[in-house]
Amino acid sequence: AAWWGVALGLLSVARCAVLGAAGVFRVRLKTPLGIAFEEQEPGAAKGVVVAGLVEDGNAERDGRIWVGDRLVSTSAVVLGGEAALLTVGGGRQYTNWKRQLLRATDMEFDEVIAAIGSNSGRFGYVDVLLEFVHTDKSIPRSASAANRASREGSDVDWDGARGTLVGGVSTPIRPRPDDFDFD
């Protein structure tokens, strides 16, 4: 299989919910994630699987995501509003956006990575909601009690004076409410 790894970084984690008997589980991680993905089936729009975890990254510290897990869906910022606020060199600044949960199982690799990357501080977001399912190729690992405890009760912080921090730089945008329920 062709390796299409993308390390999406490290930081801390928020919360998780297990969804239904199908084994799909949700994880909300702050960015950067610390996950390397590869195509489910090279050259086909079949989504991605976890190829690796960055040592001491958010996903590894969290402990719920395993190498071999399939990404079912991801949060993504969707731009809206056809009227551009400003057009510069053919580019637009949109006046409206929202964050939705997109099904990733029928997306190409680049589309999945772009959807994950759209959860950006420039829109006020510092986390990504991901839905995974363990597969027969998943490699189990244990999550220590310390890892589970570090996930309890944390949420995305927004400071009214500074906005969100992206790479240590303040982004004075309050994130809009998600267009999906987490719990």
Side-chain angles (χ1 to χ4, degrees):
W3 168 256
W4 292 94
V6 173
L8 296 173
L10 359 88
L11 264 180
S12 70
V13 180
R15 51 188 182 155
C16 171
V18 176
L19 306 174
V24 176
F25 61 97
R26 283 184 173 178
V27 178
R28 187 183 294 264
L29 298 172
K30 284 191 178 178
T31 57
L33 304 176
I35 303 173
F37 290 104
E38 68 181 358
E39 293 174 295
Q40 171 77 17
E41 185 179 314
K46 302 253 180 163
V48 299
V49 295
V50 176
L53 301 173
V54 174
E55 186 176 342
D56 201 36
N58 284 338
E60 185 192 56
R61 285 190 309 234
D62 178 78
R64 293 172 286 180
I65 301 169
W66 302 344
V67 171
D69 286 355
R70 184 168 190 205
L71 181 65
V72 175
S73 57
T74 180
S75 58
V77 173
V78 178
L79 300 176
E82 285 302 313
L85 188 68
L86 176 65
T87 302
V88 178
R92 293 185 185 179
Q93 289 185 348
Y94 289 92
T95 59
N96 193 14
W97 67 87
K98 60 184 170 182
R99 189 157 77 159
Q100 295 180 326
L101 199 57
L102 301 181
R103 181 182 169 99
T105 55
D106 55 359
M107 297 171 85
E108 293 184 10
F109 178 83
D110 292 341
E111 294 172 322
V112 173
I113 300 307
I116 292 170
S118 72
N119 294 274
S120 140
R122 73 186 259 202
F123 298 108
Y125 299 105
V126 295
D127 66 341
V128 181
L129 179 91
L130 304 161
E131 290 183 338
F132 289 96
V133 64
H134 296 308
T135 68
D136 58 346
K137 295 181 182 177
S138 294
I139 302 169
R141 51 194 214 94
S142 64
S144 71
N147 286 348
R148 287 188 295 274
S150 72
R151 296 190 300 258
E152 299 297 323
S154 65
D155 206 342
V156 176
D157 293 325
W158 190 85
D159 182 317
R162 294 178 300 168
T164 57
L165 291 178
V166 179
V169 177
S170 174
T171 304
I173 297 176
R174 178 183 295 272
R176 294 188 178 179
D178 292 335
D179 196 25
F180 53 87
D181 292 325
F182 178 72
D183 293 319

